[in-house]
């Protein structure tokens, strides 16, 4: 059972926060030459270096004690065993069972395995051409229509695993903005395109609107045969049937798989089509390796637990609000967007599981872009802005593939050097004396030094965590995603919130339903506030 908090974390951690706020990372490193050894952890083929976070051994112990007191291990075990921990929706949370967790009930494992065999067999048939287009030709392109968890995971994974993609080309349409469907479909041949409609609920406005457009696009070219170019990934078989997709083309999952945790289910079909069933299994195995580690490792060696505790430390002891995720890996370009949903939709909550308001600030603003590109856009603010931004830097020990023999190593050396240099600059900065000395060494005159030294000074003392993996392959990607999934869960347990519901997305959806009719008939603006009514009138004016 989760222990619902009765005392604010900021209170519990206060003495440690005070002590460390009075110090800085330069001093912490100067005091302890073994800081890297003390605060870096290796497990499951990953290394995480927490030594550039503003913590010390006592703070670390206090965080571990907090995890104990808040029942992190018990909550983890309850989740893995399939207890209905998503209390506001009355559901179990079993995405871990999709990747082979032996902790889940046998019946759950059996239904998962059966459905996995179905969708992986379909992926294999699409790839081989056995599941062919209406004219009998193999599909050259696959379009996944979905949004949120039915888009971000697969889209991120297909991009991340590009060197392993040897099946039909996979495209993604998410936005209800018709430009998304138009720009994607206009470039494709409907006679060679398979459309996957991915929606857990099969009620999502964006997805159904795009699906109707795609079906019409197929019908123009194929007439009644359009149905052979459609498949659905959903828990709602009634709605998929009503949409006209035959049961043999519907690949299911269950309500115990949350949308943002569903890439491991049939929602992963576009990934399996792109990389093939065997590599998809490796992706699942990577995630399972982290699950097994999360389930068994002691808290002080448990990577997701430690990542979660650092999240709590950043937010509730250091008072930080923003969390940059910077993969030094171009192919992880969509990983920050994926994490945004995972983290912000899970932990952007203000009510505890027992209905009381939270005792501490919860989820952080997650954002990011790949390095080194991010260095040339928003890193200025990270280094010298008024607010301190927590940063996770992700980097591989090796890159995957190279354009020309021998060229890859140079690229990768620069990439790794930049990743490390940025965390150094954030942590240690550059004092005014150092800035002055450097300018003098470069031959600047006294007046120039006086004028520019304040601008060339970096306060430093800005925390980062560095996460190192071997190389970005399907197994590693599975590990990275599972690691962050569990990190988010650990934080939620400590905050006493439910990571697995998302009531905060409901209101806007309901209000959009009320605004839509007014946009085609302005006599229907009754009940709208004057701002919204005014904007409706302007947007739908005859000259618009
Ligand atoms: O907008 C919130 C949300 O419910 C997400 O949690 C979910 O991933 C997304 O919408 C899409 O939902 P569905 O897969 O049911 O279309």
């Amino acid at each position: 059972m989760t222990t619902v908090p009765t005392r604010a974390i900021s209170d519990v951690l206060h003495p440690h926060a005070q002590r460390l706020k009075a110090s800085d990372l330069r001093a912490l490193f100067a005091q302890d030459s073994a800081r890297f050894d003390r605060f870096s952890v290796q497990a499951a083929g990953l290394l995480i270096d927490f030594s550039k976070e503003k913590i010390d051994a006592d703070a670390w112990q206090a965080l571990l004690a907090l995890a104990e007191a808040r029942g992190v291990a018990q909550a983890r075990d309850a989740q893995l065993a399939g207890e209905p921990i998503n209390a506001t929706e009355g559901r179990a949370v079993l995405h871990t069972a999709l990747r082979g967790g032996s902790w889940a009930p046998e019946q759950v494992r059996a239904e998962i395995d059966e459905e996995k065999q179905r969708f992986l067999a379909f992926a294999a048939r699409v790839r081989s051409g056995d599941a062919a287009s209406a004219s009998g030709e193999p599909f050259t392109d696959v379009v996944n229509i979905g949004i949120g968890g039915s888009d971000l995971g697969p889209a991120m994974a297909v991009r991340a695993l590009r060197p392993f993609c040897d099946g039909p080309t996979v495209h993604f349409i998410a936005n209800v903005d018709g430009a998304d469907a138009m720009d994607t479909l206009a470039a494709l041949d409907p006679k060679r395109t398979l459309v996957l409609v991915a929606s857990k609920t099969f009620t999502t406005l964006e997805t159904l609107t795009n699906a109707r457009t795609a079906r019409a696009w197929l019908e123009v070219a194929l007439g009644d045969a359009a149905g052979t170019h459609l498949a659905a990934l959903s828990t709602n078989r009634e709605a998929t049937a009503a949409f006209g997709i035959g049961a043999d083309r519907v690949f299911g999952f269950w309500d115990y798989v949350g949308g943002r945790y569903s890439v491991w289910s049939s929602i992963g079909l576009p990934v399996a089509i792109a990389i093939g069933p065997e590599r998809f299994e490796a992706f699942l195995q990577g995630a399972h390796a982290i699950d097994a580690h999360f389930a068994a490792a002691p808290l002080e060696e448990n990577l997701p637990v430690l990542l979660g505790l650092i999240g709590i430390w950043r937010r509730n002891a250091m008072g930080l609000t923003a969390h940059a995720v910077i993969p030094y890996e171009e192919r992880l370009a969509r990983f920050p967007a994926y994490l945004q949903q995972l983290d912000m939709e899970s932990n952007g909550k203000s009510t505890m599981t027992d209905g009381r308001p939270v005792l501490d600030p919860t989820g952080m603003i997650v954002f990011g872009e790949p390095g080194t590109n991010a260095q040339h856009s928003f890193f200025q603010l990270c280094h010298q802005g008024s607010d301190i931004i927590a940063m996770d830097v992700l980097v591989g020990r090796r890159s995957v593939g190279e354009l020309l023999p021998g060229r890859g190593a140079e690229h990768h050396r620069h990439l790794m050097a930049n990743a490390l240099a940025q965390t150094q600059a954030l942590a240690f900065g550059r004092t005014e004396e150092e800035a002055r000395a450097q300018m003098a060494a470069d031959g600047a005159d006294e007046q120039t030094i006086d004028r520019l030294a304040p601008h060339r000074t970096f306060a430093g003392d800005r925390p980062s965590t560095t996460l190192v993996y071997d190389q970005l392959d399907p197994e590693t990607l599975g590990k990275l995603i599972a690691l962050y999934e569990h990190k988010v869960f650990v934080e939620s347990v400590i905050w006493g919130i439910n990571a697995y519901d998302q009531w905060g997305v409901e209101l806007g959806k309901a209000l959009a339903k009320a605004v839509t009719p007014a946009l085609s008939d302005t006599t229907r603006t009754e009940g709208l506030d004057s701002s919204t009514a005014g904007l409706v009138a302007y947007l739908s004016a005859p000259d618009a």
Side-chain angles (χ1 to χ4, degrees):
M1 277 301 291
T2 312
T3 311
V4 184
T6 52
R7 197 175 159 212
I9 299 165
S10 52
D11 207 11
V12 177
L13 297 177
H14 182 72
H16 304 286
Q18 288 303 100
R19 181 177 68 255
L20 284 149
K21 277 180 183 165
S23 183
D24 67 19
L25 283 164
R26 276 193 183 224
L28 293 174
F29 272 85
Q31 283 156 18
D32 181 2
S33 58
R35 207 172 149 78
F36 173 77
D37 296 333
R38 205 180 305 286
F39 296 113
S40 65
V41 186
Q42 282 186 54
L46 303 174
L47 178 147
I48 307 188
D49 175 21
F50 296 107
S51 63
K52 292 195 187 96
E53 295 287 339
K54 248 183 118 174
I55 42 156
D56 62 12
D58 288 346
W60 205 234
Q61 286 311 318
L63 286 165
L64 289 165
L66 182 68
E68 291 269 4
R70 297 277 161 107
V72 166
Q74 292 82 345
R76 169 200 65 196
D77 295 347
Q79 173 177 309
L80 293 175
E83 287 178 30
I85 62 159
N86 176 356
T88 55
E89 296 181 321
R91 292 175 185 170
V93 176
L94 280 168
H95 49 275
T96 47
L98 297 163
R99 44 230 197 184
S102 56
W103 316 274
E106 200 170 327
Q107 154 66 17
V108 165
R109 284 188 281 142
E111 68 189 7
I112 284 175
D113 195 52
E114 192 184 329
E115 203 60 15
K116 183 173 83 172
Q117 300 313 331
R118 276 191 72 229
F119 83 77
L120 289 185
F122 183 67
R125 293 199 305 121
V126 171
R127 286 166 59 85
S128 68
D130 286 349
S133 66
S135 62
E137 300 284 314
F139 290 112
T140 52
D141 295 275
V142 173
V143 174
N144 187 82
I145 296 179
I147 197 163
S150 300
D151 166 74
L152 286 164
M156 178 272 288
V158 167
R159 183 152 183 187
L161 300 176
R162 179 93 180 262
F164 304 92
C165 291
D166 52 7
T169 308
V170 180
H171 313 261
F172 293 86
I173 299 175
N175 201 328
V176 75
D177 180 350
D180 203 0
M182 177 181 155
D183 294 355
T184 306
L185 297 180
L188 300 178
D189 176 1
K191 297 196 177 94
R192 305 288 295 268
T193 301
L194 173 68
V195 173
L196 309 175
V197 185
S199 175
K200 179 178 172 180
T201 56
F202 225 79
T203 58
T204 304
L205 170 99
E206 292 90 334
T207 300
L208 293 186
T209 306
N210 280 320
R212 282 192 290 272
T213 298
R215 186 176 57 189
W217 175 76
L218 290 171
E219 280 166 358
V220 170
L222 304 166
D224 290 346
T228 57
H229 285 229
L230 282 167
L233 323 173
S234 183
T235 59
N236 186 348
R237 286 178 187 272
E238 247 172 61
T240 53
F243 191 82
I245 301 178
D248 60 322
R249 285 296 184 92
V250 179
F251 302 96
F253 56 113
W254 308 267
D255 69 0
Y256 52 72
V257 179
R260 54 193 173 275
Y261 299 86
S262 63
V263 66
W264 322 101
S265 71
S266 62
I267 291 291
L269 177 60
V271 185
I273 291 175
I275 65 176
E278 278 177 23
R279 293 188 185 121
F280 191 82
E281 290 280 11
F283 174 58
L284 297 181
Q285 278 158 20
H288 179 65
I290 293 295
D291 297 341
H293 165 77
F294 181 49
L299 295 188
E300 65 276 14
E301 293 164 20
N302 198 307
L303 297 183
V305 171
L306 298 176
L307 261 189
L309 289 174
I310 284 297
I312 296 287
W313 177 255
R314 289 166 166 179
R315 186 76 177 108
N316 302 129
M318 294 289 115
L320 308 185
T321 55
H323 174 193
V325 178
I326 313 296
Y328 277 76
E329 180 86 54
E330 177 60 25
R331 294 184 184 118
L332 284 178
R334 293 295 285 162
F335 193 64
Y338 173 78
L339 277 191
Q340 256 167 358
Q341 188 198 12
L342 176 65
D343 198 316
M344 295 169 80
E345 199 171 77
S346 298
N347 283 345
K349 314 269 165 77
S350 306
T351 306
M352 292 196 286
T353 49
D354 64 358
R356 285 179 300 140
V358 288
L359 303 181
D360 290 280
T362 59
M364 294 173 81
I365 300 160
V366 178
F367 71 103
E369 281 289 325
T372 58
N373 301 14
Q375 293 171 205
H376 298 271
S377 61
F378 58 81
F379 267 40
Q380 166 65 41
L381 186 144
C382 299
H383 286 295
Q384 289 187 317
S386 315
D387 291 312
I388 295 190
I389 295 175
M391 191 178 287
D392 288 358
V393 165
L394 281 63
V395 64
R397 298 167 82 196
R398 293 187 297 279
S399 56
V400 178
E402 56 186 349
L403 178 65
L404 299 170
R407 291 298 304 145
E410 182 188 335
H411 284 271
H412 199 63
R413 242 189 338 269
H414 287 309
L415 191 71
M416 290 189 292
N418 272 275
L420 302 185
Q422 292 301 321
T423 67
Q424 276 184 305
L426 287 166
F428 308 121
R430 183 164 64 194
T431 63
E432 184 159 347
E433 294 68 51
E434 288 167 346
R436 298 183 81 89
Q438 194 182 337
M439 279 187 282
D442 290 346
D445 58 52
E446 268 309 303
Q447 210 186 357
T448 307
I449 292 175
D450 286 345
R451 191 166 54 84
L452 290 185
H455 300 281
R456 303 189 67 173
T457 299
F458 290 62
D461 203 28
R462 292 168 186 243
S464 66
T465 287
T466 304
L467 195 162
V468 185
Y469 48 87
D470 280 348
Q471 65 169 22
L472 186 61
D473 54 23
E475 191 183 348
T476 296
L477 184 65
K479 288 181 185 178
L480 293 178
I481 302 173
L483 183 68
Y484 277 96
E485 285 178 348
H486 296 317
K487 171 251 188 203
V488 164
F489 172 60
V490 167
E491 289 176 339
S492 75
V493 173
I494 293 176
W495 283 320
I497 58 179
N498 177 8
Y500 298 114
D501 60 14
Q502 54 283 318
W503 301 104
V505 302
E506 297 299 326
L507 179 60
K509 287 185 193 173
L511 293 178
K513 279 194 187 142
V515 174
T516 307
L519 283 164
S520 45
D521 177 359
T522 43
T523 61
R524 298 177 68 181
T525 51
E526 204 183 318
L528 294 182
D529 62 88
S530 68
S531 163
T532 310
L535 292 168
V536 162
Y538 188 72
L539 281 165
S540 52
D543 66 338

